[in-house]
Each structure stands twice: as structure tokens, then as C-alpha cells.
Amino acid sequence: MSFVNLAMLLPHLGSLRLQRVRLVGSGLRVEAATVSEQATCPGCGLVSDRVHSHYVRHLADTGVGGREVRLDLTVRRFFCAGVHCARRTFAEQVSQLTTRHGRRTVPAADVVQAVAVALGSASASVLVVGSSSDCPQESVQLGGTTRALLGRTRYPVMVVPRPAASRTPFW
């Protein structure tokens, strides 16, 4: 039996300490934690190593092997060291992975943005296309990775009709 280096499958998680990876239903759940000893305050730019608390963020990540991936990331809140800073505490962010108040990883948000641009609609950022059995023949189907990323959200399922040759193009 050979083992796969998870960093090869999920290289954008390389800066984290992976604690557990498991299958949950049809998806993959990755539990990880940050490893840095300090963080920079976004308000004043000072570095702090005084930990206030920690909590778990639940982020949608890009799909792997047609499976949706959810990242349960333990992050810390730090006290700001700046005397005149308006922020007393702040949450650490992982470069190229998390954003403030984000519910998706940066790579996952890039996929959603690419779908929105490809479809030419602001509402496409909440697009979810059901499985081929849920959609009529003339519907546009997205690839497995995009569907794995967007397949289980709280948004309603939208079916985008494929333009017919005799109709005016929908773009």
C-alpha cells in the first residue's frame, strides 16, 4: 500500500498543519491549523505574538477528484500591540488562502469568479448547476471540479438554458 503526499493534491494548504482528512458523505473534510507564531495587525501593521483566543473557520475549497472539499481551519485571534490602533484584537489570515470574512478559500473564490466571468453575469457567482439527471438536455453543465466546489451550498439550483441555434445568443 502506498501513501499519497497530501501536499501534492492540495499544494495551497502547504503552509498549514494538517490534522485530519476524512470522507464525510460525498465530500472530503480537511481539518488544519495555522502554524505561524505571530500575525500582522491589518489596522496598524504591527506584528503581535500575544494570542487572545482561537476558533474554527469553515471554508469551501476547490474540489478534488470530483469531491467537494471543506476546510475546517483553526485560526487565532491576536491582541494588537499598537497603542493607538483602533483594533484591540484581530484574526490571523493565511496568505493566498483566506480573506477577511471569506467563506471560500482564495483558490475556490477564483473558480467562482472564473465561472461568473465565463457566463457574463454578476449573479453567476451564486450559480449552482444540478447533476445531469436534474437538468434538461438543453442545459449547460459545468465541469466536475466546479460542481464539486459549488454543489452543496445554500443557494437555489439554477439551470442555465443552452442557446438554441435559431435563438438570439444569450450573451
Side-chain angles (χ1 to χ4, degrees), residues 123-142:
S123 62
S125 65
V126 296
L127 174 72
V128 178
V129 176
S131 67
S132 57
S133 63
D134 298 335
C135 298
Q137 287 285 61
E138 63 272 10
S139 299
V140 174
Q141 295 294 309
L142 300 178

Side-chain angles (χ1 to χ4, degrees), residues 8-138:
M8 292 177 67
L9 292 175
L10 304 167
H12 57 289
L13 303 181
S15 64
L16 303 175
R17 182 180 65 239
L18 297 177
Q19 298 169 323
R20 186 174 175 187
V21 178
R22 57 192 170 114
L23 288 174
V24 177
S26 63
L28 191 66
R29 174 112 13 113
V30 178
E31 296 174 13
T34 57
V35 294
S36 63
E37 297 293 323
Q38 52 194 11
T40 303
C41 175
C44 65
L46 289 177
V47 175
S48 176
D49 59 358
R50 292 182 47 217
V51 176
H52 174 273
S53 59
H54 65 275
Y55 64 97
V56 178
R57 292 183 66 178
H58 306 284
L59 304 166
D61 198 9
T62 53
V64 172
R67 295 182 183 271
E68 66 186 49
V69 176
R70 187 173 105 183
L71 175 61
D72 295 338
L73 178 62
T74 301
V75 295
R76 292 166 292 182
R77 292 193 66 79
F78 287 86
F79 287 104
C80 180
V83 177
H84 299 293
C85 185
R87 295 177 187 254
R88 293 278 198 212
T89 64
F90 61 93
E92 67 183 326
Q93 300 297 328
V94 180
S95 178
Q96 301 298 311
L97 185 67
T98 63
T99 58
R100 190 169 178 226
H101 302 294
R103 294 184 181 214
R104 296 182 182 102
T105 61
V106 170
D110 291 345
V111 171
V112 172
Q113 183 178 17
V115 170
V117 169
L119 295 177
S121 170
S123 62
S125 65
V126 296
L127 174 72
V128 178
V129 176
S131 67
S132 57
S133 63
D134 298 335
C135 298
Q137 287 285 61
E138 63 272 10

Side-chain angles (χ1 to χ4, degrees), residues 131-171:
S131 67
S132 57
S133 63
D134 298 335
C135 298
Q137 287 285 61
E138 63 272 10
S139 299
V140 174
Q141 295 294 309
L142 300 178
T145 300
T146 305
R147 187 172 185 289
L149 170 66
L150 301 175
R152 299 181 104 197
T153 66
R154 295 181 190 160
Y155 302 115
V157 172
M158 294 172 43
V159 176
V160 179
R162 184 182 305 272
S166 61
R167 287 194 238 158
T168 306
F170 69 107
W171 56 85

